Amino acid sequence: MGAPRDERTNGKRTCNRDTRPAQAIRLPRGSERYSLTANQGDIVAIIGGSGSGKSTLLRCINLLERPTSGEVAIQGETYRLRSARHGDLEIADRRQVQRIRAHLGMVFQNFNLWPHRTVLENVIEVPIHVLGMKRDEAIHRAEGLLDRVGLGSKKDMYPSFMSGGQQQRTAIARVLAVDPLAILFDEPTSALDPELVGEVLAVIRDLAAEHRTMLLVTHEMAFARDVASHVVFLREGIIEEQGPPEQIFGDPRSPHLKQFISSVA
Amino acid sequence: MTTVFDFSLLAYSPPGWGKVLLVGFLRSIELAAGGYLLGILIGIAGASGKLYGNKVVRDLLEIYTMVIRAVPELVLMLLFYYVGTDLLSRASSAMGFGGVNIDGLTAGILVIGLVQGGYATEVFRGAILAIPRGQIEAAHAFGMPPGKVLRRVTLPAMTPHALPGMANLWMIATKDTALLAVIDFSELTLVTRQAAGATQYYIMFFLAAGVLYLALTLVSNFALRRFERHARRGLVPAR
Ligand SMILES: Nc1ncnc2c1ncn2[C@@H]1O[C@H](COP(=O)(O)OP(=O)(O)O)[C@@H](O)[C@H]1O
Ligand SMILES: [Mg+2]
């Protein structure tokens, strides 16, 4: 498979992600503004102003958003996309997308739990009904995961009756239940009351400590600097700058990044 | 005739008409339940088609729901019944099976189901649109196949929003069964008319029928309320 490359065309969405575990970061020369690779165990923080394309970039990884050009590969497997009438790309192989998605977890800003299912039922849903796990085993694992995120005693509650922090921790347990190759976080703490942010960040920090592959869109700069192995700064839909956190936060080159960092600090 | 009531005529066995009434009542319930269930199936398919189908599917469904809702039910029933049975027997004789006779119950269920389906399509469409997008999106993000997303997420999540409208449709279904008297289907209203005509106790028999319809409504209301409580189990009460 060729080097991931991508040209940004006028007003079009372009995404290019390449999550290939066990492979050194390899950005083709000259295209690092459009390409991103995450290796196994990487924690990639995606930062940028509102509307800079952070969610779009993240959602191209599981194809919730369709890139208009370029390619996305997960563990060496490239999504099969084909050109649609308007020149956009569309999914060519639904089953492939479903198969890959089942191994990518996504945590949303608004939790997006299923309200008609209890906390436990939310966590066992995908293992049973997508991965085909036995119910007993799924429950056993889910209980362990809920204990881990501190919700063992809440497993029979319905999510709407819990705090935002508890709901987001449930959502994280739901993701862990599929034992994902990578977890995609889209501003997991932005919808939370300030006093609840800490409990969710603590869980994410815990996952970082065990070197889970994660891509994390966040406005929590201190947290990003702390846990990320790689930071990506987006502006107007393109990667303006990327690198290790010390470089991005300590020695930013782009004036926009400098300005962004001083504005959020 | 000196009295309005002669309760011995309501006795179960002849000369009482009780058994006839009860059988008619049961057939009404069968009709209503069958038509309602068929309507639910059509409604789910119709709402999915309207929301996720291509242009041709959407246009066809638009015509279907518009016709169903614009034309009086009685006309639709006569139309579906006579045209439907006619087409069916023509088709079967063309294929060399000879004339078919579809029985009244099947025909009635089809007719009521088609009418109910038109309304149910709109009820379900609205209910699905009321689900916060993210819940369905989350299911897709986990690689759930579309059919499972419908069964495991979309349908249960839309049920609370659909229930008020669907409860109404059930009430309408029970009463629409009476319209099938025009095609000589022996449901409650028709047998009541027969009993009343034969005995001349019009008031008593129609009151008795009214009581049966009312009992059905009361029992249904109770069941629907319980179901609604179950469907809303995960939602914070509005008040
Ligand atoms: N690479 C891109 N090319 C063209 N448009 C983009 C690109 N990235 C994002 N957009 C558009 O910009 C808008 C905001 O993007 P979004 O991802 O929601 O931003 P954020 O999450 O950073 O606030 C969306 O309408 C999206 O379609
Ligand atoms: Mg966003």
Side-chain angles (χ1 to χ4, degrees), chain B residues 2 9 13 26 80 82 84 111 115 122 149 152-153 155 159 161 169 171 198 203 225-229:
Chain B
T2 52
L9 286 175
S13 40
L26 286 181
F80 288 156
Y82 289 114
V111 166
V115 173
E122 285 305 298
V149 175
R152 306 275 325 159
V153 179
L155 293 183
T159 303
H161 308 294
L169 276 185
M171 300 299 163
I203 295 178
R225 253 202 302 277
R226 287 197 62 144
F227 183 54
E228 182 158 9
R229 199 155 0 127

Side-chain angles (χ1 to χ4, degrees), chain A residues 6 8-15 34 46-60 65 68 109 186-187 217 219 234-239:
Chain A
D6 192 9
R8 181 167 181 270
T9 40
N10 245 357
K12 290 215 166 160
R13 257 192 320 272
T14 61
C15 299
Y34 313 111
I46 299 167
I47 61 173
S50 155
S52 60
K54 304 183 296 297
S55 299
T56 307
L57 179 74
L58 197 70
R59 291 158 59 87
C60 281
E65 201 91 49
T68 45
Q109 184 172 348
D186 192 357
E187 302 198 29
V217 173
H219 288 298
L234 281 181
R235 195 178 78 89
E236 291 181 1
I238 61 168
I239 297 176

